[in-house]
Amino acid sequence: MNVLARLDETRGALSVLEHPFYQRWSAGELSAAELARYAGEYRLAVLALAPPGHAAVLAAHAEEEAGHVALWERFARAATDRAAADRAATDRAAAHGAASDRAAAAEDGRAQPLAETDACVRSWIAGEELVEHLGVLYAIEASQPEVAEVKLEGLVRHYGYSEEGPAVEYFTVHRVRDREHARQARELIGELVGAADDGPRAEAGIVARARAALRGNWKLLDGVEAAARRGAVAEGA
């Protein structure tokens, strides 16, 4: 089995669409506050895909991803606004009114990053070799068209978003553009592994980094869910 087949096998085994958080997303079971918190946490992962390039070959991709950060910010702002409205609707009698609710929701979306999010970001930027970074990039972006499609479908069906609105442009872009990004990464990985002095060692490093990055994504979602449970307990106390 070549390295690309191993990467695809790893992606299938660690598909984030199997995570309970995304299962609940698709079922319409997330609260507005959970979506806002997720948007704030995942923003850091989006930033991790747009670092200064480790080599010229990654510069164009990093520049494009940096532009996509602004698209994610639109979703994050929309999610925060909806969380604020949800809080206001459930606590109309509060003396501070909707202004404090909006501030609280914004705090949820821009709070100190969770430990699980930090672990995810570290796994996405780990590695010293260009080919390892390409392996991580491929593992994440080859799955993004399907993941973006599922997220968009859930947002439109269950959470009141418009399929053509600016708040969901990140998802409409990534369900298309990441097909090309993944293709480019595949080609470069093949070239670099073929030219490596120790091909099997290089392949093992690529797959290990990719597996860690996919597990890091799961950890981020674990953290968002755990934070939601802690918030529910605190509200019920």
Side-chain angles (χ1 to χ4, degrees):
M1 184 182 296
N2 66 30
V3 65
L4 294 169
R6 292 170 65 189
L7 287 172
D8 286 336
E9 182 180 65
T10 301
R11 287 195 305 112
L14 293 169
S15 171
V16 292
L17 291 178
E18 299 299 321
H19 193 283
F21 183 83
Y22 284 155
Q23 295 281 304
R24 294 173 56 228
W25 181 311
S26 292
E29 297 173 356
L30 297 179
S31 69
E34 285 179 289
L35 276 174
R37 184 60 187 257
Y38 164 81
E41 297 297 323
Y42 195 77
R43 173 182 177 273
L44 298 176
V46 173
L47 288 169
L49 285 180
H54 293 272
V57 71
L58 293 179
H61 177 270
E63 182 177 354
E64 182 175 348
E65 289 297 338
H68 293 173
V69 172
L71 302 184
W72 186 264
E73 294 282 9
R74 294 178 188 173
F75 170 62
R77 284 194 297 270
T80 296
D81 288 346
R82 288 167 185 267
D86 186 68
R87 288 181 186 226
T90 58
D91 193 14
R92 294 294 186 187
H96 296 294
S100 66
D101 289 331
R102 182 187 178 94
E107 183 178 352
D108 282 348
R110 290 300 189 119
Q112 186 72 18
L114 298 168
E116 295 88 345
T117 299
D118 282 338
C120 175
V121 170
R122 288 196 302 272
S123 70
W124 283 24
I125 63 176
E128 298 179 359
E129 301 295 332
L130 170 61
V131 72
E132 293 178 351
H133 290 284
L134 287 168
V136 169
L137 191 66
Y138 175 75
I140 295 168
E141 297 204 327
S143 301
Q144 278 301 307
E146 181 183 8
V147 173
E149 184 68 38
V150 169
K151 288 179 181 178
L152 178 60
E153 181 179 333
L155 290 171
V156 173
R157 178 176 297 179
H158 300 297
Y159 303 103
Y161 288 77
S162 168
E163 187 169 6
E164 301 298 329
V168 300
E169 187 175 358
Y170 179 91
F171 306 106
T172 59
V173 167
H174 278 259
R175 68 181 177 180
V176 176
R177 283 298 296 145
D178 281 344
R179 298 182 191 279
E180 177 62 16
H181 292 161
R183 184 194 64 77
Q184 293 171 348
R186 283 179 67 93
E187 291 181 356
L188 288 168
I189 290 169
E191 292 175 8
L192 291 172
V193 169
D197 293 333
D198 187 347
R201 181 176 177 275
E203 290 186 10
I206 295 166
V207 174
R209 291 295 185 190
R211 183 181 297 111
L214 294 169
R215 286 175 174 165
N217 202 345
W218 273 71
K219 287 180 182 178
L220 183 151
L221 298 174
D222 288 343
V224 173
E225 288 212 314
R229 288 194 295 271
R230 290 193 296 270
V233 170
E235 289 180 4

